[in-house]
């Protein structure tokens, strides 16, 4: 797992900040899933969007109720298998589904929150590192990650999300909405796929 000081700092955030950070990372992975579905006609990528929107809703709408177990069941049918597809895009699509599943599990069991926020941070960076390895044949490690522009850009984005959240002293609905709008207005994934 690639490491960065952000992972230690994430531990100091409140649960609403953890959730917002994680859903932000899932939002950034969403274009990877859309691209895969468009290329393969595997599934309706809009279903991922609906689950993602339900999580944003929990964070921004008072008294919103979502059945996360039901959302997890829906997501299970949306996860592709690497054995069934011979294109690289399947790997980032699987990562996007894994991130969303982990987030839903953390929402069902808050004891998983800390472990999951660090796991999603690492997963998002590893999606980038895996693409870099596929393109260059050079494995990204903790020792050489600072030499890779794409990996550094992903860490920078995570830091930007973290800093915005860290500034809020209490749960800030407008901040959450602004983050969501910013990520949607410029829908570029962690590996550079644009919608």
């Amino acid at each position: 797992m690639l490491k960065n000081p952000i992972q230690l700092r994430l531990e100091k955030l409140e649960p609403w900040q953890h959730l917002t950070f994680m859903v932000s990372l899932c939002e950034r992975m969403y274009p990877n899933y859309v691209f895969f579905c468009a290329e393969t006609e595997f599934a309706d990528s809009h279903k991922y969007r609906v689950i993602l929107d339900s999580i944003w809703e929990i964070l921004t709408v008072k008294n919103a109720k979502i059945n996360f177990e039901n959302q997890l069941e829906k997501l299970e049918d949306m996860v592709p298998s690497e054995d069934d597809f011979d294109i690289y895009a399947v790997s980032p699509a699987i990562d996007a589904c894994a991130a969303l599943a982990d987030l839903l599990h953390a929402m069902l069991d808050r004891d998983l929150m800390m472990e999951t926020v660090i796991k999603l941070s690492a997963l998002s960076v590893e999606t980038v590192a895996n693409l870099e390895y596929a393109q260059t044949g050079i494995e990204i490690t903790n020792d050489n990650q600072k030499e890779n522009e794409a990996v550094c850009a992903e860490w920078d984005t995570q830091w930007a999300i973290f800093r915005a959240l860290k500034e809020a002293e209490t749960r800030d609905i407008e901040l959450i909405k602004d983050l969501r709008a910013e990520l949607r207005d410029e829908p570029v994934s962690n590996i550079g796929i644009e919608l």
Side-chain angles (χ1 to χ4, degrees), residues 36-73:
F36 169 75
C37 290
E39 289 293 304
T40 62
E41 299 180 358
F42 166 72
D44 178 4
S45 61
H46 182 69
K47 292 178 181 176
Y48 189 107
R49 165 93 272 143
V50 169
I51 296 171
L52 205 51
D53 286 347
S54 72
I55 298 168
W56 284 113
E57 187 176 326
I58 284 288
L59 290 166
T60 57
V61 178
K62 194 173 183 175
N63 299 324
K65 300 257 187 270
I66 307 294
N67 182 332
F68 295 113
E69 288 177 4
N70 189 3
Q71 300 301 326
L72 266 171
E73 285 176 22

Side-chain angles (χ1 to χ4, degrees), residues 73-129:
E73 285 176 22
K74 290 178 186 174
L75 183 59
E76 282 176 23
D77 296 333
M78 297 164 44
V79 182
S81 167
E82 270 186 308
D83 297 336
D84 296 339
F85 297 95
D86 195 24
I87 63 170
Y88 184 83
V90 70
S91 183
I94 291 169
D95 288 350
C97 290
L100 191 55
D102 286 342
L103 173 51
L104 288 167
H105 281 291
M107 295 184 90
L108 283 166
D109 182 354
R110 298 297 171 114
D111 291 342
L112 298 173
M113 191 74 68
M114 233 7 281
E115 165 189 332
T116 305
V117 74
I118 292 167
K119 186 177 178 184
L120 259 63
S121 170
L123 176 60
S124 189
V125 167
E126 284 165 15
T127 302
V128 177

Side-chain angles (χ1 to χ4, degrees), residues 9-10 13 29 42 68 78-79 92 94-95 103 107 110 117 124 135 141 144 148 157 163 171 186 191:
R9 302 235 168 88
L10 285 168
L13 297 180
M29 293 176 152
F42 166 72
F68 295 113
M78 297 164 44
V79 182
I94 291 169
D95 288 350
L103 173 51
M107 295 184 90
R110 298 297 171 114
V117 74
S124 189
Q135 292 176 330
T141 64
N144 71 5
N148 185 282
T157 300
R163 281 189 201 100
R171 184 176 178 143
E186 295 179 26
I191 57 172

